Amino acid sequence: QVQLVESGGGSVLPGDSVRLACVFSGRGRTNSHQYIAWFRQAPGTEREWLAYIGWGGIVSETADSVKDRFGISRDEGLSTVMLHMHSLKSDDTAVYYCAASETPSREERAYNYWGQGTQVTVSS
């Protein structure tokens, strides 16, 4: 059983920076679920892909809509994936999720393991 747990969310001011963490654990096939992605979902909207990162952090992609402000990284132990967010604005308010996939994808349907989400609220 694969589990992912997000942390680091909270209420922040516009312009602030936040780092979210996704801790990956559990049993899985060897070399499977090596891609970790971040999504977000604001109230009344569809879930939006933000970024993914692969084995060793060599392969990564970030959505055009946020690539100037958001970044994704993975630690050497490959157990934690970070989402670095800068210059936050009110439109960034959402529940942020991490997910695991065997292949890189921008589509949520490709991910079969999801965390519970962490709320980020940007307001003054």
Side-chain angles (χ1 to χ4, degrees):
Q1 184 177 6
V2 175
Q3 293 183 337
L4 303 99
V5 179
E6 305 94 336
S7 63
S11 297
V12 299
L13 296 172
D16 281 358
S17 297
V18 172
R19 290 198 301 172
L20 304 181
C22 173
V23 178
F24 175 91
S25 64
R27 297 181 179 89
R29 292 185 289 115
T30 302
N31 297 322
S32 67
H33 296 96
Q34 63 180 350
Y35 293 94
I36 303 295
W38 283 97
F39 291 79
R40 68 182 179 186
Q41 187 167 19
T45 70
E46 297 293 324
R47 195 165 297 178
E48 176 189 12
W49 171 78
L50 299 173
Y52 62 70
I53 191 165
W55 189 265
I58 298 175
V59 176
S60 66
E61 297 285 346
T62 304
D64 290 341
S65 60
V66 298
K67 65 181 180 181
D68 59 332
R69 299 185 296 118
F70 292 8
I72 190 168
S73 63
R74 195 166 190 170
D75 68 5
E76 292 183 356
L78 306 179
S79 63
T80 303
V81 173
M82 307 294 296
L83 181 68
H84 311 265
M85 303 189 293
H86 306 283
S87 301
L88 288 168
K89 51 188 179 181
S90 60
D91 289 347
D92 296 317
T93 297
V95 177
Y96 286 72
Y97 300 90
C98 62
S101 175
E102 296 181 0
T103 58
S105 177
R106 300 179 177 182
E107 302 292 332
E108 63 177 284
R109 61 187 176 185
Y111 296 85
N112 56 347
Y113 293 99
W114 293 82
Q116 82 287 351
T118 184
Q119 175 74 44
V120 175
T121 301
V122 185
S123 65
S124 58

